[in-house]
Amino acid sequence: MTSSLLWAVDVYGRVYSLSTAGGRWERSKDKVLELKKLGAVKQCCWGIGCDNQLYLNVNPSDVAIRFQEETYENQRWNPLEGFTDTLLPTDRWPWTDEAGLNPQPLHSFQLPSESWEWEGDWFVHDETCGRPSTGTGGWEYAVDFPTSFSKEKKWNSCVRRRRWLRNRRYKAFGFWSKIPLDRGRPPPQPFIDISCGGHLMGNNSEKRLYLWAVSQQGRVWFRSGIEHLKPEGCHWEEMAGPGEVAQVSCGPGDLLWAVLWDGQLLVRRGISSERPKGSSWTVVEPPKKNLGAAHVSVGMYVVWAVTKDNKVWFRRGVNSHNPCGSGWINISGEMLMVSVGPNDQVWGVGSEDRTIYFRQGVTASQVTGSGWTPVLAQWDSSRPPDGQPSHDFSGEMTDSSQGSVLGLADSPAGPESPPPKATIPKITSDSFISALVSDRECTIKPAGGAPPATLPTDALPEEGASTGDEEVPLTPSEAPSPKTPGVDPWSNVDLEEEAKGRRPAGPEGAAPQQASVATFPLDLPEGEERPPWAWVSGGGCVLTSDTRIGWLESPEDKTSSLPLSMTPAHATAEKKKEATDELTFEKSVSVTKGQLRWWRDWLPHQWEHAGLALEQAQSEPTRREDFLYLYYTENNEKKFLCIPISEVTALVPKFKESLYCFAVYTAERTRQRWPLLLSTHTQQDLQQWLSLLGESCCLSRGIVGRPSEQALWAVTSKGDIMVHEPPPSLEAPTPNPACDNMFWYQVPGHLHTVECNSLAVVWGIGYDGTAWVYTGHGEASAEADSKDQQHLQVDVRSMFIYENQRWNPVTGYTDKGLPLDRHMWSDVSGLRECTKASTKPPSPQWTWVTDWAIDYSAPEGADKEGWQYAADFTAAYNGNKTLKDFVRRRRWVRKCKIELTSPWVEVPPIPLSDITILPCLAKSSMEQVPLWAISERGDVLCRLGVTRDNPAGNSWLHVGTDQPFRSISIGGGHQVWAIARDNSVFYRGSVSAQNPAGDCWYHIPSPPKQDLKQLSVGRTSVYAVDMNGNLWYRQGVTPSYPQGTVWELISNNVSKVTVGPLDQVWIIAERVPGCPSEGAGVVCHRAGVQPMLPKGQSWEFGIGGWQHLSVRGNSQEPPRAPARSPQPPRAQKQQTVPKFLEGLLRQKNDLRCPERSPIRRIMSQLK
């Protein structure tokens, strides 16, 4: 990897560079040049001098910079003289550019600046490649000037031209050169800040550099035309802004930010490779409104800022699609300024110690890094010998009356003698004078080079005393103060550039009269305090993860270095924190990016490429602020979607067009039935994104570890297991629908049915009927993915398609149907075409294990060829053909298998079709948890030995029945209800903890003309679903009469129902009213369920795509509002009664003895 440079300026305006391949700061070759600010990229560095002029330093390169000037000589033929430069009045000039629009004589070409030199003289360009012209002389002929030219001269060639060339070469590599003013344009105002970048913008191979500057009047200027052959650019152009700008920062991409004098921030929008100047400004509020921003620095995808209190801030969500970002996060440390490099590496200058720091740990994913570390590079060892003039600046301080910094005594020659000439350099700006006085130790030294000696602090040298061999280190605390008698106070600083030669000390070289002179050597020997830095630019310093930099890893300072999260300027604060045992929390932001495909739900409905970024920020130990960004382009305009992770309610794997997809739900998107659908390239990418986003969602909501015992469990239509952690207010009457805000997260595994209760007993049934028990509630491990809790889970699923045929009198049954008939190969509904070739497994995780075969075990029966017959496709089917059957169908089956590791353990050996667990309160204490199930053959089973510590139980107990069953449920008080396969309903009597299997079955009448298929029993409520999707409620269920009295219709459009231990009612609806595009399986909650109103009032619709739900573990009662007292307060009673009695007294004025009246006696007693 090639080396790059880190540029810096100290408070004295001296420019230094530090190479990544070296280990020493190197001083600029131009020792007299003083700069204030720098803006660097890899190939060059721009700077603003103390004269507010612009300077450029192009890094040395093996490739020379040559620019070729060209002009065209034009001639016209006439009959007398032939071809001559005497042209017609309407012709072009004799010397022009190629188009002939601008005159360009040879003498008009001048060098742009002193950094260029000519290489040779003008020559004619022809096939000789720059050598003197031969043959044709380089002429091209044409009929007239506007037409095309050719080398061949024809009889009608009336005009001709030839091209003249001259090369100029850039010679100022490695030196600072002044940028000249634009010719023919008014000069811009003096600059106070610059920033260069934009060289990585766009995908074009030709990269250009763009320079932005700020003038003293707060105007923004843009310099165009900067490229490899024109490193100085062409001209300046003013950019209108909404206010007075103080500082500007341009990143290597298309990001540009600026700081106003009032502390607000500006963002330039619309910047692109086609429009590098952008289109408009947008105002962004600073991190602190009362302080405002003082500095901003922009990288490729990041923005850092420093407020006026020197606090460092990071802007979140910044991207070329969203240049304004989304919010600020505070970063530890106090900096004077920061600079962002091309790889988003961050450099800074400490606000107190003026040391250059580097932000460690900054990567493409960890954008804020881990902490600050100082840059510990050595100094250039090239120094002059003793007694010789030093290239480092030194100076002499004159008498205080002449503007000196320190007055020691009056001059022996009297006040009329000329003062010695000061050689202290000019300071880069007025703000650095305080740093010069406070950050440096001043030494008083005579003009001679004698060794220094310490001067006593209680007295100063008297007039005429010999001090030629003494040097006094003078600290700021020892400096004279205005209260010191006989000593002048600090006054103006007389600072000038270093003299080219040292002035003679006195006549004939005699020793000087030194009582009035003090010399301040500013050279820094090895080991002394380094100069305070004023500016650093890391725009040209390229660091990668594998780059090893010696000056960032100093073995000498490792033992004494502070933690990376604190700067040396905070040493005192760090010691105080160590004394009080306070821990510093380092705020951080990490970003994970990827390229996915996004399904656009509006026209045109299609998949489009988009960028996805997950930004995770941890501002507090227990608080996370994560955002999900989707970047896309519409009509050549960059746009984005921002979704706070705290608003994500579910991440559901999907299967669409044989792609690896997943849907992102929020509360608003759930109400609109419009999830964000994304597709990855591989199954591995899908799992990684689901895991990353799922973990971020759980951490943002404070969900850590295993599902709680009160959790709601569900299974999607694809078999994925989802869990919701219910808040205590889930069943409380709230104005906002609870279903919209429910957060579901995925648990490893794959099931068809899942049931739970509040005693950490969770069972499930796979598609192949295998029973599974969840082991994640155990205390052996703290994480859900612990290795000792992971087991191999295998599930087999059957995929069905239907072959449809219609009878006609000529050919009999054929696959040629009527125009309005269903597809000849379809699903069971006939609405979707499903052929053998187009039917895929439920997801890419499934693999086929068999081939397509005829299914002879259809529920309605089939003949020997597997056909089922009916009068029409929408009628009921049977296995026997009749004269009225004009259509037929048969079912084809193919099996697929999935294998994965999950915290589920198989419970052999009986395959099950339904399961139920007793719902109970969390504080319930049971020796054994009642668990009932139905096998695939229809047998009723009771599981023995199920406890909290042993959720799998020990063995099955067979419960006798006279027919096979299909559904079963157990509720409060050990009520067991079941539905047989002939659709009859039964109640199991005498079931208790001592008699877990009960005694006998009691037949319960079904709703009139309806066949029930599934039911659920709560604490006191019984709900059932019939074959037509109607929901029924059993009235009159009491402890004394648990069979109830009659069925009452509640709702339709229901596929499954679940009742919790608090009689809360949840269903899986077949569809959402008014949303035909929404798929089947919508989670719905019955609102308004109360003990006095067990049937509830209305439905709340939630997320779709679910096929099973269990709320039988949620036993959290909603918080109750405080009851109001029906009686008025006592004080109010005491005031009301006397007034009432006084009213009665006024109506009885005719009483003869008021004092004996009982009303008077009562009133007197009350008073």
Side-chain angles (χ1 to χ4, degrees):
M1 178 181 177
T2 59
S3 62
S4 55
L5 297 178
L6 175 69
W7 295 85
V9 177
D10 63 9
V11 295
Y12 311 105
R14 297 175 295 194
V15 183
Y16 293 87
S17 63
L18 180 61
S19 174
T20 57
R24 292 180 177 273
W25 287 103
E26 294 184 4
R27 178 80 179 277
S28 174
K29 297 179 181 179
D30 191 349
K31 304 295 183 180
V32 182
L33 178 68
E34 298 172 359
L35 299 181
K36 294 191 297 184
K37 292 184 178 181
L38 297 173
V41 292
K42 187 176 182 180
Q43 57 268 30
C44 63
C45 181
W46 297 75
I48 298 180
C50 293
D51 55 356
N52 294 328
Q53 297 300 317
L54 206 59
Y55 293 85
L56 172 64
N57 189 326
V58 180
N59 297 335
S61 174
D62 298 334
V63 180
I65 298 178
R66 287 184 175 88
F67 187 83
Q68 195 173 62
E69 301 283 5
E70 68 173 13
T71 186
Y72 284 82
E73 180 185 3
N74 306 305
Q75 291 185 356
R76 176 176 285 276
W77 181 86
N78 65 65
L80 299 178
E81 301 177 359
F83 284 99
T84 178
D85 56 358
T86 303
L87 306 177
L88 297 178
T90 57
D91 282 342
R92 59 184 62 179
W93 292 274
W95 294 87
T96 62
D97 57 0
E98 183 178 7
L101 301 178
N102 301 312
Q104 291 184 170
L106 296 180
H107 61 80
S108 66
F109 289 88
Q110 298 180 5
L111 293 174
S113 65
E114 298 179 354
S115 303
W116 293 86
E117 64 179 2
W118 291 111
E119 286 188 336
D121 203 351
W122 289 95
F123 62 92
V124 176
H125 173 68
D126 62 355
E127 296 82 3
T128 57
C129 299
R131 294 188 293 272
S133 177
T134 59
T136 62
W139 291 104
E140 296 176 339
Y141 299 88
V143 177
D144 201 358
F145 284 115
T147 58
S148 59
F149 288 82
S150 65
K151 295 290 185 180
E152 182 181 358
K153 181 181 179 182
K154 300 180 181 180
W155 66 272
N156 60 348
S157 299
C158 299
V159 296
R160 68 177 183 178
R161 73 176 184 182
R162 60 179 175 180
R163 184 186 182 195
W164 290 78
L165 302 176
R166 192 179 187 184
N167 295 323
R168 53 182 169 91
R169 181 176 62 88
Y170 190 82
K171 63 178 182 178
F173 284 104
F175 293 90
W176 288 96
S177 60
K178 187 176 181 180
I179 302 300
L181 299 178
D182 300 338
R183 297 176 183 176
R185 293 175 177 266
Q189 301 162 352
F191 295 131
I192 60 174
D193 189 60
I194 57 170
S195 180
C196 56
H199 51 284
L200 299 180
M201 182 168 47
N203 298 323
N204 298 331
S205 58
E206 183 181 358
K207 301 297 182 181
R208 291 179 176 268
L209 185 66
Y210 303 99
L211 184 67
W212 296 77
V214 179
S215 63
Q216 289 182 343
Q217 283 71 24
R219 300 177 181 177
V220 180
W221 295 78
F222 174 79
R223 189 167 182 84
S224 60
I226 303 176
E227 55 186 57
H228 175 70
L229 298 179
K230 298 179 181 180
E232 297 171 337
C234 296
H235 60 272
W236 290 101
E237 182 179 352
E238 184 178 355
M239 298 285 105
E244 295 185 359
V245 179
Q247 186 248 334
V248 67
S249 178
C250 175
D254 53 3
L255 297 179
L256 176 70
W257 282 55
V259 180
L260 298 179
W261 283 107
D262 59 0
Q264 286 187 323
L265 294 160
L266 296 179
V267 179
R268 190 68 174 174
R269 287 185 174 272
I271 296 179
S272 63
S273 57
E274 294 78 15
R275 301 179 61 184
K277 293 179 288 187
S279 57
S280 62
W281 294 98
T282 301
V283 179
V284 176
E285 292 295 330
K288 293 184 177 181
K289 295 183 179 180
N290 54 344
L291 291 175
H295 180 85
V296 67
S297 185
V298 178
M300 191 68 184
Y301 303 108
V302 298
V303 173
W304 292 68
V306 178
T307 50
K308 295 181 180 180
D309 57 352
N310 298 326
K311 299 296 183 182
V312 183
W313 298 82
F314 175 82
R315 186 69 175 177
R316 301 185 52 191
V318 175
N319 190 278
S320 59
H321 295 254
N322 180 26
C324 296
S326 58
W328 295 99
I329 182 172
N330 183 236
I331 304 297
S332 63
E334 295 184 359
M335 294 291 164
L336 184 69
M337 56 84 61
V338 292
S339 176
V340 183
N343 290 346
D344 292 339
Q345 305 290 338
V346 186
W347 312 82
V349 177
S351 61
E352 295 186 10
D353 55 359
R354 295 294 185 92
T355 301
I356 295 179
Y357 291 93
F358 172 70
R359 188 71 178 175
Q360 279 194 344
V362 175
T363 60
S365 58
Q366 192 71 23
V367 292
T368 56
S370 56
W372 300 100
T373 182
V375 176
L376 304 175
Q378 300 179 1
W379 294 94
D380 193 355
S381 59
S382 58
R383 299 189 178 276
D386 294 339
Q388 299 295 332
S390 173
H391 289 289
D392 291 330
F393 292 116
S394 61
E396 298 176 349
M397 306 307 294
T398 62
D399 184 74
S400 60
S401 62
Q402 303 295 332
S404 65
V405 176
L406 179 63
L408 297 179
D410 296 334
S411 174
E416 299 179 357
S417 61
K421 186 176 181 180
T423 59
I424 295 292
K426 291 182 294 184
I427 302 303
T428 58
S429 65
D430 296 338
S431 62
F432 296 154
I433 295 180
S434 59
L436 171 64
V437 176
S438 62
D439 294 344
R440 294 291 304 271
E441 287 188 357
C442 304
T443 56
I444 305 176
K445 181 177 180 180
T454 304
L455 181 69
T457 58
D458 56 347
L460 292 175
E462 298 179 357
E463 182 180 354
S466 178
T467 58
D469 298 334
E470 296 178 353
E471 183 180 13
V472 182
L474 186 63
T475 62
S477 60
E478 298 169 341
S481 63
K483 298 181 181 181
T484 306
V487 180
D488 293 337
W490 293 95
S491 60
N492 296 333
V493 182
D494 187 11
L495 304 176
E496 295 182 10
E497 295 184 0
E498 181 184 17
K500 295 183 178 179
R502 188 175 294 275
R503 186 176 179 178
E508 300 180 357
Q513 302 287 342
Q514 44 160 330
S516 61
V517 179
T519 301
F520 284 67
L522 300 182
D523 53 290
L524 298 173
E526 296 291 341
E528 289 194 2
E529 181 184 359
R530 295 160 183 172
W533 297 104
W535 197 266
V536 63
S537 178
C541 188
V542 181
L543 298 179
T544 59
S545 58
D546 56 348
T547 305
R548 304 291 296 179
I549 305 299
W551 36 268
L552 290 178
E553 300 177 357
S554 177
E556 301 175 358
D557 299 336
K558 283 183 178 179
T559 56
S560 60
S561 62
L562 292 175
L564 296 178
S565 61
M566 303 299 294
T567 63
H570 296 149
T572 304
E574 177 67 15
K575 291 179 181 179
K576 292 180 180 180
K577 289 183 179 181
E578 291 179 357
T580 57
D581 295 334
E582 293 183 0
L583 299 179
T584 303
F585 176 73
E586 179 68 23
K587 302 176 182 179
S588 62
V589 177
S590 61
V591 179
T592 304
K593 301 179 181 180
Q595 294 294 325
L596 295 88
R597 288 197 292 177
W598 160 59
W599 177 255
R600 176 183 287 185
D601 277 339
W602 62 87
L603 293 176
H605 298 278
Q606 61 185 11
W607 289 101
E608 292 190 357
H609 293 280
L612 192 67
L614 174 62
E615 187 181 77
Q616 299 174 278
Q618 191 167 5
S619 57
E620 297 179 6
T622 58
R623 180 184 178 187
R624 296 180 64 92
E625 298 176 355
D626 299 352
F627 287 88
L628 181 65
Y629 296 93
L630 179 71
Y631 303 105
Y632 65 97
T633 303
E634 182 180 6
N635 297 328
N636 296 326
E637 183 181 356
K638 295 180 178 180
K639 297 184 178 181
F640 73 98
L641 297 175
C642 178
I643 301 177
I645 290 296
S646 58
E647 296 182 4
V648 174
T649 56
L651 300 167
V652 184
K654 295 286 186 177
F655 185 69
K656 185 180 181 68
E657 300 179 3
S658 302
L659 298 175
Y660 305 96
C661 307
F662 67 96
V664 181
Y665 284 86
T666 62
E668 182 65 24
R669 290 181 177 272
T670 300
R671 286 189 290 268
Q672 297 177 355
R673 306 296 155 186
W674 188 18
L676 183 67
L677 191 59
L678 302 172
S679 172
T680 61
H681 298 286
T682 62
Q683 176 67 26
Q684 183 179 3
D685 294 341
L686 175 64
Q687 295 299 327
Q688 290 178 355
W689 274 109
L690 286 176
S691 176
L692 181 63
L693 294 174
E695 180 183 3
S696 177
C697 293
C698 291
L699 293 177
S700 298
R701 297 175 178 266
I703 300 176
V704 181
R706 313 282 185 162
S708 66
E709 298 177 354
Q710 309 292 326
L712 277 65
W713 291 73
V715 178
T716 67
S717 59
K718 303 302 180 183
D720 299 304
I721 306 170
M722 310 298 291
V723 174
H724 170 68
E725 297 292 344
S729 60
L730 179 63
E731 300 298 335
T734 57
N736 296 326
C739 289
D740 293 344
N741 300 305
M742 295 177 64
F743 169 66
W744 297 90
Y745 64 96
Q746 188 174 358
V747 171
H750 191 278
L751 295 172
H752 177 269
T753 302
V754 64
E755 284 294 331
C756 63
N757 79 338
S758 58
L759 297 180
V761 179
V762 181
W763 277 57
I765 302 175
Y767 278 87
D768 57 356
T770 304
W772 302 87
V773 61
Y774 183 68
T775 61
H777 288 301
E779 301 179 357
S781 60
E783 299 181 358
D785 56 351
S786 179
K787 293 183 179 179
D788 57 348
Q789 298 291 335
Q790 297 298 306
H791 311 277
L792 179 63
Q793 185 177 12
V794 180
D795 197 3
V796 178
R797 182 175 180 178
S798 298
M799 303 296 296
F800 300 100
I801 60 175
Y802 286 83
E803 180 185 4
N804 306 303
Q805 291 184 357
R806 177 175 285 276
W807 181 86
N808 67 64
V810 179
T811 59
Y813 286 100
T814 178
D815 57 359
K816 304 297 181 182
L818 299 178
L820 299 180
D821 280 346
R822 62 178 60 186
H823 300 282
M824 293 298 99
W825 289 88
S826 67
D827 58 356
V828 64
S829 64
L831 301 177
R832 186 167 58 94
E833 184 178 10
C834 298
T835 63
K836 294 181 179 180
S838 63
T839 303
K840 305 295 182 182
S843 70
Q845 292 179 287
W846 293 81
T847 57
W848 294 116
V849 294
T850 64
D851 202 353
W852 289 104
I854 299 175
D855 184 14
Y856 297 95
S857 61
E860 299 85 357
D863 61 9
K864 61 181 180 179
E865 295 181 355
W867 292 103
Q868 298 175 320
Y869 300 88
D872 200 359
F873 287 115
T874 57
Y877 287 86
N878 58 80
N880 299 319
K881 182 181 179 303
T882 64
L883 295 177
K884 297 181 180 181
D885 294 332
F886 298 99
V887 297
R888 68 178 183 178
R889 72 177 184 181
R890 60 180 173 183
R891 189 168 72 171
W892 292 75
V893 61
R894 189 178 186 183
K895 294 185 178 181
C896 54
K897 183 176 68 173
I898 185 175
E899 295 183 358
L900 68 163
T901 57
S902 65
W904 296 85
V905 176
E906 182 180 356
V907 182
I910 303 175
L912 306 178
S913 62
D914 194 15
I915 192 172
T916 181
I917 308 174
L918 176 69
C920 55
L921 300 179
K923 299 180 181 180
S924 300
S925 57
M926 294 184 178
E927 295 183 359
Q928 294 188 9
V929 178
L931 186 149
W932 290 63
I934 296 178
S935 68
E936 283 190 342
R937 299 188 303 176
D939 299 329
V940 178
L941 305 173
C942 178
R943 190 68 175 179
L944 303 179
V946 177
T947 62
R948 181 191 296 267
D949 298 330
N950 183 26
N954 299 326
S955 60
W956 290 107
L957 176 63
H958 184 272
V959 180
T961 59
D962 56 356
Q963 58 180 321
F965 278 51
R966 97 164 23 129
S967 177
I968 193 169
S969 180
I970 183 173
H974 294 78
Q975 307 175 64
V976 178
W977 290 64
I979 300 176
R981 291 185 179 179
D982 62 355
N983 303 320
S984 57
V985 184
F986 292 91
Y987 171 80
R988 187 70 174 178
S990 304
V991 179
S992 63
Q994 295 75 22
N995 185 18
D999 293 336
C1000 61
W1001 293 101
Y1002 296 91
H1003 182 265
I1004 306 294
S1006 299
K1009 299 181 180 180
Q1010 299 294 333
D1011 297 331
L1012 301 182
K1013 66 176 182 179
Q1014 187 256 334
L1015 52 78
S1016 182
V1017 184
R1019 180 168 53 183
T1020 59
S1021 300
V1022 179
Y1023 283 82
V1025 180
D1026 62 19
M1027 293 293 184
N1028 297 321
N1030 299 317
L1031 180 66
W1032 299 86
Y1033 169 73
R1034 187 68 176 176
Q1035 291 185 352
V1037 176
T1038 61
S1040 59
Y1041 192 72
Q1043 295 91 345
T1045 57
V1046 66
W1047 293 99
E1048 180 181 356
L1049 179 63
I1050 301 297
S1051 175
N1052 55 6
N1053 187 35
V1054 179
S1055 61
K1056 285 189 178 181
V1057 63
T1058 175
V1059 183
L1062 303 178
D1063 285 338
Q1064 61 266 41
V1065 182
W1066 293 69
I1067 64 170
I1068 300 294
E1070 294 181 354
R1071 67 188 68 87
V1072 178
C1075 298
S1077 60
E1078 177 70 13
V1082 181
V1083 176
C1084 298
H1085 173 230
R1086 188 66 174 175
V1089 175
Q1090 300 177 6
M1092 303 301 297
L1093 189 62
K1095 295 178 290 184
Q1097 298 175 343
S1098 61
W1099 292 108
E1100 298 173 353
F1101 293 89
I1103 193 172
W1106 266 225
Q1107 77 174 8
H1108 187 84
L1109 175 67
S1110 176
V1111 300
R1112 300 170 69 81
N1114 182 22
S1115 61
Q1116 298 182 90
E1117 296 187 2
R1120 298 180 179 178
R1124 296 182 180 180
S1125 175
Q1127 298 180 356
R1130 184 175 181 181
Q1132 182 177 357
K1133 184 189 298 184
Q1134 291 180 355
Q1135 294 178 3
T1136 304
V1137 174
K1139 290 182 179 180
F1140 173 73
L1141 295 178
E1142 287 178 358
L1144 294 177
L1145 288 175
R1146 294 190 188 98
Q1147 298 176 6
K1148 299 181 179 297
N1149 295 328
D1150 55 340
L1151 293 177
R1152 298 180 179 180
C1153 300
E1155 65 279 358
R1156 296 181 181 180
S1157 174
I1159 300 178
R1160 282 290 184 182
R1161 289 197 303 270
I1162 296 174
M1163 182 175 175
S1164 61
Q1165 292 178 2
L1166 291 175
K1167 291 183 177 179

